[in-house]
Amino acid sequence: MKRILVAAGTSDNKRNFAVNYIKTYLGNKGVEAEVLGENIYEIKTEELDADLIVAIGPWNCQTSIPVIQGTVFVTRIGMDPVCDEIIRQLR
């Protein structure tokens, strides 16, 4: 199963909203994935175990894992196209 890491540092509520929205969206599209949330400032890149990262805020870490900018989950405008991009990246 694919793993998505939602990384945000400003708010647990924003991170949790994004995690739940992505889970629901993917589920409605028939895409199975584990969606986890972590604090962007506490992530240890050498320990990352994910297929894709959705960063809510600046992402300055070096990793070979693809990163999608997830600021749309703060504004709540344009979330579906980002979720579609998540699906494309997972395939």
Side-chain angles (χ1 to χ4, degrees), residues 17-18 21-22 54 56 70-76 79 82-83 86:
F17 171 79
Y21 190 91
I22 293 167
V54 177
I56 301 175
T71 305
V72 298
F73 296 105
V74 175
T75 63
R76 299 185 184 195
M79 296 183 296
V82 171
C83 287
I86 290 169

Side-chain angles (χ1 to χ4, degrees), residues 5-8 40 53-59 67-73:
L5 173 64
V6 177
I40 203 166
I53 297 168
V54 177
I56 301 175
W59 181 263
V67 178
I68 293 177
Q69 186 50 245
T71 305
V72 298
F73 296 105

Side-chain angles (χ1 to χ4, degrees), residues 8-54:
T10 58
S11 165
D12 289 342
N13 290 335
K14 290 175 187 170
R15 184 175 57 245
N16 292 338
F17 171 79
V19 166
N20 291 327
Y21 190 91
I22 293 167
K23 279 183 189 178
T24 300
Y25 191 92
L26 297 182
N28 289 340
K29 297 286 184 171
V31 177
E32 289 187 38
E34 182 179 12
V35 185
L36 308 167
E38 295 287 336
N39 185 305
I40 203 166
Y41 301 113
E42 296 175 0
I43 292 173
K44 295 181 174 100
T45 55
E46 67 277 1
E47 296 176 9
L48 284 177
D49 181 22
D51 298 290
L52 182 67
I53 297 168
V54 177

Side-chain angles (χ1 to χ4, degrees), residues 59-91:
W59 181 263
N60 299 318
C61 300
Q62 297 296 322
T63 181
S64 61
I65 300 168
V67 178
I68 293 177
Q69 186 50 245
T71 305
V72 298
F73 296 105
V74 175
T75 63
R76 299 185 184 195
I77 299 170
M79 296 183 296
D80 291 355
V82 171
C83 287
D84 289 336
E85 179 59 24
I86 290 169
I87 292 170
R88 279 190 292 280
Q89 290 283 334
L90 291 178
R91 292 194 171 144

